[in-house]
Amino acid sequence: MRVSRFTQLSLRTIALGYLLILLIVPLVLILWRTFENGIGAFIDSISTPAAISALHLSLLIVAIVVPVNVIFGVVTAIALVRGRFPGRGLVQGIVDLPFAVSPIVVGVALILLWGANGWFGGIESLGFQVIFGLPGMVIATIFVTLPFVVREVEPVLVEIGDEQEQAAATLGASRWQTFWRITLPAIRWGLTYGVVLTVARSLGEFGAVIMVSSGFPGVSQTLTLLVHSRYIDDHNTFGAYSAATLLMGIALLTLLLMTILDRKRENA
Amino acid sequence: MTTTQPPTSGTEAAARRRLLPQVTGTVGPLGIGVAVLWLTVIVLLPLAALTVTAFEDGWAGFWDAITAPAALAAIRVTVGVSIVVALINAVVGTLIAWVLVRDEFPGKRVVNAIIDLPFALPTIVASIVLLSLYGPDSPIDIHLNATRPGLVVALLFVTLPFVVRSVQPVLLEVDHEVEEAAASLGAGNWTTFRRVVLPALAPAIIGGTGLAFARAIGEYGSVVLIGGNIPRLTQVVSQHIQQQIEIDRPVNAAAESVALLAIAFVTLLGLRFFAERTARKEMRQR
């Protein structure tokens, strides 16, 4: 269908105008607000003790969540693709559940399971505090990022099939050898893509983490909690903008990595 | 959010399995056990604890919790705002997809790339970003903080990619010949769009809109700063749930969480049912 020049231009104007007022102007404005006092003010604002500790905590959570998700994610993907067991369809559904659950609901569910009065509340009296401690934030982050590795590795496993794995097994390779020499090299780009998504979501998660964190500045604040508390509690708008810009930089880096990996995967 | 079901490779694979019953790839029963245990501890047990707590005082207790005036008001605000957001997304998302596929202009690739930005940005950053333009120190003097339009803008920001990204690939595949045939038979542009293009796009539009709605009702991070959390006016369910936890009413919080989950599941199940029906219809037409 051929639209008139006028219609074409109107549609283009509406689409670009919408993106301009919703996305671009706010993003440019926050960058401008962050850097209007020079780059020095920005660096000062993101290197206060509270900000450095928030960055450390966020990175620590990523450093725990990523290996855990890689190991269990790959095992789950292999089990779902190669395994034949009753209830496989149900398990597929469970993997997707975290995407459908509101972050606040994740927090509530974890409090009711791991909190002092929860089902597993007993372990808190043994001195292992989950809720309002680092383990709670880690578990919350694992919950929301669980599908990424599984969902990125699964289609690759389906595509490569299991002929090579069977051949290796026939030739006497152990399960470990088959995994290291055959399966892992085949899934590496899908796995990397899943890891990038996991890192981005781990750094950016807010709702689930704020529910299970005690939120003390310098102790249990992640970068996203720092943005929130600077704006709400400290009325430090500039500080909130700077921390948000830092997070935005990380997000843009992620987007860039994803684009590069997408090309790698297509060529692979 | 879509389930990627691996295609079962039919009789050939079944025959091979019978020949080699021992080989289940690199993960045997142990792997399956680990995977199931992992999903149970991380995903199922928390949600089970949530559901059991929600019904601790029986059905009546659950019903009382979600129909308490403040809870009901929060549910109304959330669902109402999410419907508005979903509808705007359906129209504008389709329009953006159209412009990205059928129009040519300098910088189109950049525009196409920034569509994904809301998915990459942390939700709290979305909140701050919008506040810088529409908040208390708005340079253009538009103040949306602590208003329902503020909620709508925040949710439009985080749900932008859903409809665009589901319509775009379908629009690329749409058969131009049918459109040209319609035009040559004297159909105007509007008629061709309504009778030929729109029916082809409808499943994708509905799918994307449903996903945007499901995301909007549970959203927290992007509305927490701009929404203002004013009971009965801008307080959304997730904020009310958080409040219930803070004042130590876990049963109420759990009940509202289950209600929120139920709305999301009904939406997603409805979408899957709809998608399967559409797929079957297409199969029959071929």
Side-chain angles (χ1 to χ4, degrees):
Chain A
M1 114 192 204
R2 305 213 182 288
V3 291
S4 68
R5 188 77 191 139
F6 174 74
T7 320
Q8 190 185 14
L9 283 179
S10 328
L11 290 175
R12 191 193 298 174
T13 312
I14 297 171
L16 295 182
Y18 183 84
L19 294 175
L20 197 71
I21 56 168
L22 192 67
L23 272 182
I24 299 165
V25 173
L27 284 173
V28 170
L29 190 64
I30 197 174
L31 286 177
W32 187 70
R33 283 268 163 87
T34 305
F35 294 111
E36 67 183 328
N37 302 321
I39 197 146
F42 167 70
I43 291 177
D44 285 346
S45 176
I46 57 162
S47 54
T48 63
I52 295 204
S53 123
L55 183 64
H56 278 176
L57 183 58
S58 284
L59 293 178
L60 177 64
I61 292 175
V62 170
I64 301 171
V65 167
V66 167
V68 170
N69 262 336
V70 165
I71 294 169
F72 287 99
V74 170
V75 170
T76 306
I78 295 178
L80 281 173
V81 174
R82 304 277 190 256
R84 296 285 171 271
F85 53 98
R88 214 177 108 248
L90 194 71
V91 176
Q92 287 277 9
I94 295 170
V95 172
D96 281 330
L97 262 181
F99 281 156
V101 179
S102 161
I104 290 297
V105 174
V106 174
V108 175
L110 292 177
I111 289 173
L112 295 174
L113 182 68
W114 297 97
N117 301 316
W119 286 5
F120 293 170
I123 62 165
E124 198 167 307
S125 51
L126 299 176
F128 186 70
Q129 191 178 21
V130 179
I131 300 301
F132 302 131
L134 178 66
M137 293 194 259
V138 169
I139 294 175
T141 310
I142 291 176
F143 188 109
V144 295
T145 55
L146 185 134
F148 290 124
V149 168
V150 185
R151 286 292 174 249
E152 293 301 327
V153 169
E154 247 190 76
V156 186
L157 284 174
V158 172
E159 202 175 316
I160 59 172
D162 59 355
E163 278 85 2
Q164 290 193 11
E165 289 167 14
Q166 288 190 6
T170 318
L171 294 170
S174 72
R175 279 204 175 138
W176 255 139
Q177 284 173 319
T178 316
F179 177 77
W180 281 111
R181 302 269 179 88
I182 310 285
T183 317
L184 192 61
I187 61 172
R188 68 184 187 282
W189 293 122
L191 183 60
T192 318
Y193 200 79
V195 168
V196 170
L197 293 176
T198 306
V199 171
R201 183 67 198 265
S202 302
L203 288 172
E205 183 50 35
F206 173 68
V209 171
I210 200 173
M211 290 297 284
V212 298
S213 162
S214 49
F216 293 122
V219 182
S220 48
Q221 264 181 359
T222 61
L223 273 180
T224 53
L225 299 195
L226 180 78
V227 173
H228 180 253
S229 90
R230 275 183 169 177
Y231 195 88
I232 292 284
D233 305 330
D234 310 345
H235 302 288
N236 174 5
T237 315
F238 174 71
Y241 287 160
S242 311
T245 302
L246 177 65
L247 274 170
M248 209 154 72
I250 300 172
L252 287 177
L253 203 66
T254 315
L255 213 58
L256 194 72
L257 267 177
M258 278 160 61
T259 321
I260 297 170
L261 281 173
D262 246 352
R263 271 190 216 134
K264 279 240 189 263
R265 273 196 312 183
E266 270 160 34
N267 296 340
Chain B
M1 212 167 282
T2 48
T3 325
T4 38
Q5 289 281 359
T8 39
S9 37
T11 48
E12 192 192 326
R16 209 187 317 135
R17 263 200 308 283
R18 242 172 282 126
L19 284 173
L20 289 162
Q22 314 300 325
V23 184
T24 50
T26 38
V27 167
L30 179 70
I32 294 169
V34 169
V36 170
L37 189 69
W38 167 243
L39 290 171
T40 307
V41 171
I42 294 296
V43 181
L44 281 188
L45 278 180
L47 293 178
L50 182 80
T51 316
V52 171
T53 311
F55 292 97
E56 214 168 79
D57 304 330
W59 253 104
F62 173 78
W63 192 248
D64 286 348
I66 61 166
T67 52
L72 210 54
I75 294 175
R76 281 211 193 101
V77 171
T78 310
V79 173
V81 165
S82 301
I83 289 176
V84 172
V85 166
L87 292 179
I88 296 179
N89 263 313
V91 176
V92 184
T94 310
L95 198 149
I96 293 174
W98 175 276
V99 170
L100 286 177
V101 173
R102 295 285 174 99
D103 202 353
E104 282 305 328
F105 54 92
K108 194 172 112 171
R109 285 168 61 110
V110 180
V111 175
N112 189 29
I114 63 162
I115 298 286
D116 285 327
L117 209 56
F119 278 170
L121 279 183
T123 51
I124 191 77
V125 175
S127 224
I128 285 277
V129 161
L130 291 171
L131 268 178
S132 71
L133 183 59
Y134 302 112
D137 350 299
S138 165
I140 49 167
D141 225 30
I142 298 178
H143 302 285
L144 295 180
N145 54 319
T147 64
R148 280 191 200 162
L151 289 181
V152 171
V153 170
L155 294 174
L156 283 176
F157 185 98
V158 292
T159 55
L160 169 77
F162 285 113
V163 175
V164 181
R165 289 299 186 232
S166 69
V167 170
Q168 228 177 345
V170 184
L171 201 51
L172 275 171
E173 302 272 302
V174 164
D175 201 346
H176 281 266
E177 282 172 24
V178 187
E179 286 173 37
E180 273 156 31
S184 70
L185 292 170
N189 266 337
W190 177 238
T191 315
T192 313
F193 180 75
R194 209 162 41 91
R195 305 290 286 272
V196 178
V197 182
L198 200 55
L201 297 185
I205 297 175
I206 292 169
T209 308
L211 291 181
F213 176 78
R215 169 75 195 260
I217 55 161
E219 183 55 31
Y220 175 74
S222 61
V223 298
V224 68
L225 296 182
I226 205 168
N229 204 5
I230 303 167
R232 279 158 227 271
L233 186 66
T234 61
Q235 188 177 56
V236 294
V237 182
S238 51
Q239 286 172 318
H240 193 251
I241 293 174
Q242 191 197 21
Q243 219 172 47
Q244 297 297 308
I245 287 288
E246 275 168 5
I247 59 171
D248 206 22
R249 299 245 176 84
V251 178
N252 290 9
E256 285 171 46
S257 301
V258 168
L260 202 58
L261 275 180
I263 301 176
F265 285 165
V266 168
T267 312
L268 296 175
L269 279 179
L271 284 180
R272 180 169 292 181
F273 174 74
F274 174 80
E276 274 165 16
R277 215 187 50 175
T278 318
R280 268 205 306 275
K281 220 190 268 172
E282 262 172 30
M283 288 285 270
R284 242 180 289 143
Q285 276 167 358
R286 263 173 214 164

